[in-house]
Every structure is written in C-alpha cells, then in structure tokens.
Amino acid sequence: MYVAVKGGERAIANAHKLLAERRRGKRSVAALGLEQIVEQLSLAVDRVMNEGSLYDRHLAALAIKQARGDLIEAIFLLRAYRTTLPKLGYSTPVKTENMLIERRISATYKDLPGGQILGPTFDYTHRLLDPALAGEEAVFSLEEGPISPNNFVRVSDILAQEGLIEEDGRLNGAKPNDITKEPLDFPMGRDTRLQALARGDEGFLLALGYSTQRGYARTHPFAGEIRIGEVEVEYFIPELGYVVIIGRIQITECQMVNQFSGSAKVPPQFTRGYGLVFGQSERKAMSVALCDRALRANELGEDIVAPAQDEEFVIAHSDNVQATGFVEHLKLPHYVDFQSELDLVRTMRRDFEKAKDAVRSTACGLHEKQEKQKTGEVSSER
Amino acid sequence: MNDEVGDGEVLASYNFAYLDEQTKRMIRRAILKAIAIPGYQVPFASREMPMPYGWGTGGVQVTAAIIGPEDTLKVIDQGADDTTNAVSIRAFFAKTARVKTTMQTGKATLIQTRHRIPEEALTNDQILVYQVPIPEPLRFLEPRETETRKMHGLEEYGLMHVKLYEDIAKNGHIATTYAYPVKVAGRYVMDPSPTPKFDNPKMNQCEALQLFGAGREKRIYAVPPYTNVVSLDFEDHPFEVTKFEEPCALCGSEGAYLDEVILDDKGHKMFVCSDTDYCEKQQRKKMQNLGEEAKQRAFS
Ligand SMILES: [Zn+2]
C-alpha cells in the first residue's frame, strides 16, 4: 500500500549538515582564513563585491568561503545580506580624475600626460603554469614607490577639449534612480541601466560585448582609457551643510571611445561607452562599457538589429542571482502541472492514433479495391 | 496587523518576518493598489530574499508584509505541506516571525501556496498568497514588457484569443492545462500562476482575499474577495475543468485534483489527492463512517 512520503524537514536538515561537512573538506587540511581569501583571491573578492553590490572585502571573502568558491552563490549571499542594511543616502559622484592611480592605460594615444602605467596586470604574462606556486612560496619583497596623487587628466577630457567627443551624460533630476529601491521600468534612463550593468553577470556581459565586436551591432570601440585605483567617497551631510569624506574604495573605470558616423539625430563625432565597477575588474568594466554603448542605440538614432542593443533583453537577463534562481527552480516539484500535461499528451496521443487508424483503414480499402480491379473481380460492377 | 519586533534575543539582527518596516510599507502600498485594481500587475521594488528567485520570493515578500504575530500560517507546494520548499518557507516564518503554523486549511489565517488552491473552500477571514514565476499572461505571446503593458492598457487581448482559437483549430480543444488565463472583474486578463486549470473555478467569487507575488519579475496583483474571475473561452468551446477517471486511491474522493504516483518499475500507478490535508481529512471521515456503520450493525 502506498503511503505518502513525509519527512521533508529532516531530509533538509541532514542535507545541510552534509553540505557543511563537504564545505570544510578534509580536516587534516588547514581551514581557509578570510584574510587569505581577501589577500590571495582578491579578484574573486572584487567580482563578488561588484555583482553583490556591496563594497566589503571581508564579507565578500566570507561569502566565498561559505559558498565553497561558487561565486554566484557568494554573490547571492552578499546580496541577501545587503538588502537588510539601512540605506542612509547617496554619495556625491566619485571624482575619478582625482584617483590614486595604480594602473592607467590608453589604447588611443601613444603617450599622454601622466603616461601609461601598467600596474598589476596579467597582460603580457605568458600563461604558463608556475610550479613554484604549488608549494610554499619564496618570500620576496617589492620596493614600491609611493603612489602619487598626480591628478591624471582623463583621455575623454582631452578629446572633449577639441569638441570631437560628445559631452559626458548628465543626470536628469537631482537624484539618480536606485534599482535596489525602485522596480525596473522599460525603457530606462542611462543611470538606471549602468547600475544594472554594474551588478550584471560578468560572463553574460562579456559575451554580449564580444558579440558587438563580431558584427552584431558594431560600435567601433577604442579603449580610450582604463584606470584602476582608489577614490575618495564623499557624502553631503545636510545637517552640517558640507561634504565629508567617508572612506576610500578601489574602482576600475573604463571609457570606451566609439567612432560614430552620425545619424539623423546626432552629428558625426566620437561617442562614449562607460563602465565603472568596484575593485580591479577590468574585463567587467570593459564589457559594461561595450554594452552601455550598444544600448544607447535608440538615444543615438541607430537601428536596433542585435541582442546587445536590446535593453529589455540585456537588462532583464543580466542579473545572475535572478537567472540562477529561476533556472534552478526547475528542480522544485512541478508534478501538479506535469499531471495536467500528462493528461493532455495522452488525450492528444489517442486522437493522433485514432486519426492514423482512420487513414490506414481508408488506405486499406482503396488498396483492396485496386487489387480487385486488377484481377477483374470488379469488372462485373461496370 | 502588528509589526512589533519580537524578542530580540534569538534573532537580534533581523526584523519581525525578516523584512524591515520601510520595505513592508512599500509592499503594502503595492498590495493596496493591486486590490483597488483587480488583476492589474503593480510593479514593486522586490528585494533580495534569503531564498533564491523563482523559489517563492514574491509570495514570501507578500506574506512577510502582511503577517502579524496573531496569524496562523499554512504553506503548501503542489498542494502538500510536506514538500521540501513548503517546509523551508514554513520554517523561515516560524523562525523569523515566530507565528503559529498549521497544516489544516481551516485553521490557517494566511496560506502561502505554489501551484495549487486548497480543495476546502476558503473563508473571508483567510488570505491566500500565491507564488508567481511569470506574472504576465501575455508573456509567451509577446516577450516585451513595453508591448504587453500597452496591450493591458488598451484592453487589447485579441492575441490571447487567437492563441486559444489556434489550439482549437489544431487539436479540437484548448491545449492549455495550467496557467490558464482568466479575466478578472471584467477588465484585466490575469495569469492565475501556474495552478492547474482545475483550480480556476475556485478563484471566482472566492470569499478569501487572493494576493499574487512575483519576486523576480517584481509584480504584485490581487483578486479581492467576491470578485468575478472568468476563464477565457468561446461560446462553442466553453471552458472545461479537468476530470479524473477514478477517485483518490487513499480517501476515495471524487472531484479532487489527483497526482499520479508510480508504484514500481513496471509503470503501475495510482492516483491520490494532491491536497494532502484534504486527503487526510477525507480518510478520517471514511474511517469514522465505517466505524458508525459497524456500530449500527452491531446494535441492530
Ligand atoms: Zn485523497
């Protein structure tokens, strides 16, 4: 006799116990410390801070550890924590021109005021696995010069002096929209879109940016400037009537400069694609900038012909916490709906067989008639 | 509804029912608007919840916004209280709101559900909260939000009728078995969430308030008590409710929604109620009746 299975509660508890066990792994191996993750897996930490929309290295490290290194799971953990925090206000726009620069490159000028600074980059490394890193690493120390706040002028500002590039976008209204407080509404302003892109999935945006380079809405991009470094975060306190510095964050800024031959709406000039993200996240900043530019198609009067230009398509599917939730929800029971579909398919199948039988019997009838005609049996009917 | 924070010792860092009061107020405003315009999808600033999108975050936010300490909560998934996700959501509110929970439909003041409406008729002191994955009934006919919004605004539902008509032309009947579209209060076409169409008639003139929460899609909609909810159909092809050929193998009920259970690897199967609470109640009734009969026989 069938008895409905009970005990979901115990099964869940046991599964989670096993998860904790597997997360810790072999006890003979030392447990990972958060400092180790912050220091030695810092680019993973940066990604989790970006897509988790929360600048806190230690919480991001904790999330990575708890998620067993699954970065989307870590991003989800951080987001679910962030949403419970009080939202006190908005900083003034960060002044990236005053950045303490650690890396700054431009692909549009050979040399420029301040120069090209490579900084800590994978670029030009040979991707050869380094066996020396497998064991204890030799201790070496690098003599680092002090980073000077030498106020490098931004490449886009150099172009702007000549009037060859469009102006930086201006915010409509005093306050930016806030996608963590307001529902997304299509079509959206560029401020809203850039926020969504900043927390969008790196892989998804990378692929879309790539698609524009391969001819799906070509935007003729040049990496005008990529800069990485620390900026001060300032907050205007109305009670005091002035701005105070509340902290410093590391960010990556990418200004794409896109050649643009003009449209009915806009004269020929260089246009911008912009990406700003937490930490050292160059690939992400560049992908955001490519997508930002592609998504400005409507504003600039370009034909919308490719996925990367389609705001609803890009923004509605860029959030990996939403995407993973909905994809993975297919694991939840669906047997009620499946039952309805089973019924339907059985009915349709019966109809199909009936129809086939009907066709077969008519065909048989015809065949018999023909046979009879051949043998002359039906001749008497004439 | 009372929003006092429970004793802070156990869960010092989270508010009553998890969400902060600001967020709850925002959600309640959306709910009120939804009740005022039955069937209309109200956008709301859905929050990240500690469970994944697609796993009931919309329903959980609606429940969190309206639950009070005096409420008794029931959570079902596929009609059953003991499916893993129902267990998890029930445990979430038992922990964050410390409310009473129940498995009995009649004893609940608040019922959160995924994919089913309880068999037992709901009353006007109950609220049914649906978890909704895709709130837009027109989404699979028109993927763009900007377009579907216009269609709702202009009450332009021709596309939906064409789809249903094409079903009839092709199959001789409407081949939609769940998430079967309804018209609410004679105005908005609404997705009843992917409940089987078997449950559609229960929504019509329902005594309980019905609230629908879609977290990922950031929409809330509602059917106020005693509202007309009509399944779309044609005069010559009226809406038909799924009928089951046999009664429930456990309780003998006819006219309840049944799940097919595979018994062995030869494909033998049986059909049992999907609403576990209803099934248990019917089984008890059956046992009682048998007892009464036995008693009567013994005394006669
Ligand atoms: Zn039953």
Side-chain angles (χ1 to χ4, degrees):
Chain A
M1 163 92 185
Y2 167 77
V3 183
V5 188
K6 297 258 175 192
E9 213 148 348
R10 217 179 52 215
I12 291 176
N14 285 340
H16 292 171
K17 261 189 233 160
L18 189 58
L19 170 70
E21 165 71 28
R22 293 287 190 270
R23 184 197 58 70
R24 178 58 184 84
K26 247 192 227 161
R27 298 299 197 276
S28 54
V29 177
L32 260 179
L34 297 192
E35 288 301 332
Q36 289 174 307
I37 298 173
V38 168
E39 291 299 318
Q40 296 172 37
L41 296 176
S42 58
L43 300 189
V45 169
D46 287 345
R47 178 170 179 194
V48 170
M49 292 198 305
N50 262 317
E51 292 166 38
S53 301
L54 185 68
Y55 193 93
D56 188 315
R57 294 194 181 281
H58 282 90
L59 286 179
L62 175 61
I64 291 169
K65 178 175 175 175
Q66 191 178 328
R68 308 175 69 190
D70 178 338
L71 295 191
I72 292 183
E73 180 67 25
I75 288 159
F76 180 18
L77 284 168
L78 207 59
R79 286 255 199 110
Y81 174 72
R82 180 200 192 278
T83 195
T84 66
L85 298 175
K87 281 110 194 155
L88 300 175
Y90 300 95
S91 76
T92 59
V94 291
K95 298 192 181 85
T96 55
E97 63 269 31
N98 297 340
M99 180 187 281
L100 281 175
I101 284 183
E102 191 172 24
R103 170 168 165 79
R104 186 267 200 129
I105 53 159
S106 169
T108 51
Y109 292 102
K110 184 174 183 204
D111 201 4
L112 65 169
Q116 309 256 14
I117 299 173
L118 281 180
T121 178
F122 291 122
D123 296 350
Y124 317 113
T125 61
H126 295 137
R127 268 64 171 203
L128 304 170
L129 282 174
D130 183 359
L133 290 181
E136 283 296 308
E137 289 178 57
V139 180
F140 69 97
S141 58
L142 183 71
E143 271 185 36
E144 279 189 77
I147 301 174
S148 52
N150 37 11
N151 298 3
F152 293 2
V153 62
R154 298 191 303 183
V155 166
S156 50
D157 295 337
I158 299 173
L159 274 169
Q161 284 166 8
E162 229 186 304
L164 291 180
I165 191 165
E166 63 174 338
E167 277 193 44
D168 239 338
R170 293 215 187 292
L171 201 59
N172 302 319
K175 252 201 204 159
N177 188 29
D178 183 344
I179 59 167
T180 68
K181 283 178 145 178
E182 301 293 330
L184 286 182
D185 197 6
F186 298 104
M188 51 183 49
R190 195 172 169 206
D191 56 329
T192 313
R193 216 161 53 206
L194 282 168
Q195 282 173 46
L197 292 173
R199 60 157 52 182
D201 182 80
E202 181 173 311
F204 180 70
L205 299 181
L206 173 69
L208 283 170
Y210 177 45
S211 74
T212 67
Q213 290 180 285
R214 291 194 64 261
Y216 289 86
R218 229 177 133 204
T219 58
H220 310 273
F222 297 94
E225 182 174 2
I226 294 163
R227 51 170 67 193
I228 302 175
E230 288 192 342
V231 291
E232 284 167 342
V233 179
E234 296 176 336
Y235 182 64
F236 178 78
I237 301 179
E239 289 83 358
L240 297 179
Y242 55 83
V243 164
V244 295
I245 296 165
I246 54 171
R248 252 195 328 213
I249 57 172
Q250 188 194 29
I251 56 170
T252 303
E253 182 188 52
C254 173
Q255 293 256 14
M256 285 290 177
V257 175
N258 302 71
Q259 188 247 310
F260 177 60
S261 51
S263 70
K265 283 188 188 172
V266 183
Q269 60 186 308
F270 289 108
T271 55
R272 302 168 190 248
Y274 187 73
L276 183 79
V277 294
F278 288 150
Q280 179 170 353
S281 309
E282 213 162 285
R283 182 189 301 121
K284 172 71 181 279
M286 294 176 79
S287 304
V288 168
L290 287 175
C291 288
D292 171 48
R293 176 59 187 79
L295 288 170
R296 295 179 60 208
N298 198 32
E299 173 198 339
L300 295 169
E302 295 169 320
D303 292 336
I304 295 181
V305 292
Q309 297 171 301
D310 186 332
E311 184 178 82
E312 278 209 48
F313 178 79
V314 175
I315 303 299
H317 302 113
S318 61
D319 187 318
N320 56 22
V321 176
Q322 290 175 8
T324 198
F326 201 47
V327 166
E328 294 195 53
H329 110 286
L330 292 173
K331 294 182 280 192
L332 291 179
H334 282 79
Y335 45 74
V336 164
D337 294 344
F338 187 68
Q339 185 60 52
S340 310
E341 292 292 270
L342 262 180
D343 251 27
L344 178 67
V345 172
R346 280 178 186 143
T347 309
M348 290 182 2
R349 192 57 179 264
R350 268 196 298 272
D351 293 348
F352 176 81
E353 298 295 343
K354 245 185 260 165
K356 212 168 73 181
D357 286 347
V359 170
R360 198 180 297 138
S361 54
T362 355
C364 282
L366 251 164
H367 184 70
E368 270 170 37
K369 207 168 167 187
Q370 282 167 345
E371 288 292 302
K372 281 178 191 168
Q373 270 173 344
K374 261 189 229 159
T375 52
E377 273 179 51
V378 280
S379 54
S380 56
E381 280 177 19
R382 268 189 207 137
Chain B
M1 262 158 259
N2 191 339
D3 298 319
E4 268 171 42
V5 178
D7 68 291
E9 282 169 58
V10 192
L11 275 165
S13 48
Y14 292 109
N15 195 24
F16 174 81
Y18 183 78
L19 290 177
D20 59 284
E21 295 307 312
Q22 283 289 87
T23 302
K24 285 185 192 170
R25 269 195 285 276
M26 175 272 293
I27 296 172
R28 284 180 205 142
R29 276 196 293 271
I31 293 173
L32 287 174
K33 184 168 177 184
I35 295 170
I37 318 171
Y40 172 74
Q41 301 165 51
V42 182
F44 81 112
S46 175
R47 297 287 192 258
E48 277 91 1
M49 297 301 283
M51 55 276 283
Y53 285 114
W55 297 54
T57 55
V60 168
Q61 287 180 78
V62 169
T63 298
I66 60 172
I67 200 167
E70 306 304 319
D71 272 310
T72 304
L73 177 71
K74 170 180 166 86
V75 184
I76 49 173
D77 185 347
Q78 314 295 301
D81 299 89
D82 58 338
T83 31
T84 40
N85 205 43
V87 168
S88 160
I89 290 171
R90 190 168 53 242
F92 176 74
F93 282 111
K95 192 169 151 188
T96 59
R98 264 156 280 151
V99 290
K100 271 193 296 242
T101 61
T102 182
M103 302 208 181
Q104 295 182 45
T105 302
K107 288 201 173 148
T109 56
L110 197 53
I111 302 173
Q112 182 168 327
T113 181
R114 177 170 170 264
H115 293 195
R116 273 314 308 277
I117 300 175
E119 305 290 0
E120 196 176 319
L122 301 177
T123 59
N124 62 10
D125 49 5
Q126 293 180 307
I127 299 177
L128 183 60
V129 177
Y130 296 76
Q131 300 169 204
V132 181
I134 306 270
E136 178 51 71
L138 306 167
R139 180 61 66 239
F140 299 108
L141 306 171
E142 168 54 61
R144 272 166 217 289
E145 180 64 24
T146 38
E147 291 301 316
T148 53
R149 214 162 46 201
K150 257 183 252 163
M151 291 157 78
H152 282 295
L154 300 171
E155 209 176 337
E156 211 182 86
Y157 295 126
L159 206 57
M160 181 63 90
H161 282 106
V162 169
K163 191 256 162 200
L164 296 177
Y165 181 76
E166 276 175 357
D167 268 8
I168 294 172
K170 211 166 115 191
N171 308 305
H173 52 85
I174 294 172
T176 300
T177 59
Y178 62 92
Y180 189 104
V182 292
K183 196 163 207 181
V184 180
R187 175 58 178 84
Y188 284 98
V189 166
M190 185 187 93
D191 186 328
S193 90
T195 46
K197 69 174 184 176
F198 177 91
D199 284 337
N200 276 17
K202 292 185 196 148
M203 307 182 90
N204 185 38
Q205 287 293 323
C206 177
E207 284 188 22
L209 169 63
Q210 302 174 74
L211 298 175
F212 300 77
R216 196 175 35 77
E217 300 279 341
K218 303 178 171 59
R219 295 290 184 277
I220 286 173
Y221 52 102
V223 175
Y226 309 105
T227 301
N228 285 335
V229 178
V230 180
S231 303
L232 299 185
D233 61 358
F234 298 94
E235 267 170 34
D236 48 346
H237 282 275
F239 173 79
E240 269 178 32
V241 170
T242 320
K243 285 190 193 71
F244 292 89
E245 281 159 18
E246 38 193 309
C248 168
L250 296 179
C251 73
S253 290
E254 291 175 40
Y257 193 85
L258 303 180
D259 286 333
E260 185 170 327
V261 181
I262 307 294
L263 294 171
D264 55 30
D265 54 8
K266 307 239 159 43
H268 289 113
K269 54 195 174 219
M270 67 190 278
F271 289 86
V272 298
C273 292
S274 108
D275 184 335
T276 47
D277 172 55
Y278 178 81
C279 192
E280 275 160 29
K281 216 170 267 172
Q282 301 308 310
Q283 287 178 51
R284 270 198 301 276
K285 241 188 236 167
K286 203 166 89 178
M287 293 308 283
Q288 251 168 16
N289 288 345
L290 284 176
E292 299 277 314
E293 274 172 35
K295 238 187 271 170
Q296 273 171 4
R297 241 177 286 135
F299 286 111
S300 60

